[in-house]
Amino acid sequence: MNNSRISDGALSKMIQTHPGQSWLSSEQFARAIETLNQCASVCTTCADACLAEEHVHELTHCIRLNLDCADICGTTAAVLARPNDPDMNVLRSLLQTCQAVCQSCGSECERHAQMHEHCRICADVCRQCAQLCNELSQSVTA
């Protein structure tokens, strides 16, 4: 296994080199993309942890929302990583959808948080991501 590490701030540096104009600073873009990707990874891992639980049948809705949230957060991050000339109406809708799924997933995980630490962690991350998506969707101008 290679011990090399991606340099800190690589995403922000990459966005800074982008010649297109954007509606956010490179630091804001990088933070948003990293938050969305982290939420996607946490949700995927929470779904996998739920599948490993003894009473998995009680977690099927949670697993479904985890996977939906992971997919939508990952897609939102990918769209944000292409800041050149986005369709702002599509971007706003995507951010609002991402906020909604993060809220739903966070609420469902919260229901299981006392029994499963992975759900508590996921609920916290989803709430943070929902807040970010709300802030970004409000800052998008058509």
Side-chain angles (χ1 to χ4, degrees):
M1 184 168 160
N2 188 342
N3 287 333
S4 66
R5 186 179 117 98
I6 296 174
S7 66
D8 290 335
L11 182 57
S12 182
K13 290 174 190 173
M14 183 63 164
I15 293 170
Q16 287 172 3
T17 68
H18 195 295
Q21 296 294 317
S22 64
W23 52 281
L24 290 175
S25 72
S26 58
E27 293 79 21
Q28 290 171 311
F29 261 112
R31 181 177 77 82
I33 293 165
E34 288 167 351
T35 298
L36 287 158
N37 281 326
Q38 179 182 16
C39 191
S41 294
V42 167
C43 287
T44 298
T45 304
C46 188
D48 192 63
C50 287
L51 287 168
E53 293 292 348
E54 183 177 341
H55 301 289
V56 69
H57 64 279
E58 296 172 8
L59 297 167
T60 56
H61 188 63
C62 189
I63 294 165
R64 171 58 191 248
L65 283 171
N66 282 154
L67 296 175
D68 289 350
C69 192
D71 287 345
I72 292 169
C73 285
T75 298
T76 304
V79 170
L80 281 179
R82 298 186 298 265
N84 189 45
D85 196 28
D87 183 313
M88 296 309 245
N89 291 320
V90 170
L91 186 57
R92 184 182 307 104
S93 293
L94 183 57
L95 287 163
Q96 290 168 344
T97 300
C98 192
Q99 176 189 358
V101 75
C102 285
Q103 287 174 328
S104 292
C105 187
S107 293
E108 180 64 21
C109 280
E110 187 63 39
R111 290 185 52 234
H112 306 285
Q114 289 197 357
M115 293 275 302
H116 308 291
E117 180 68 6
H118 54 84
C119 285
R120 186 198 62 74
I121 293 166
C122 190
D124 289 344
V125 170
C126 284
R127 276 191 293 274
Q128 292 170 16
C129 196
Q131 179 64 35
L132 170 83
C133 289
N134 179 51
E135 291 169 7
L136 289 177
S137 71
Q138 291 182 19
S139 70
V140 172
T141 56

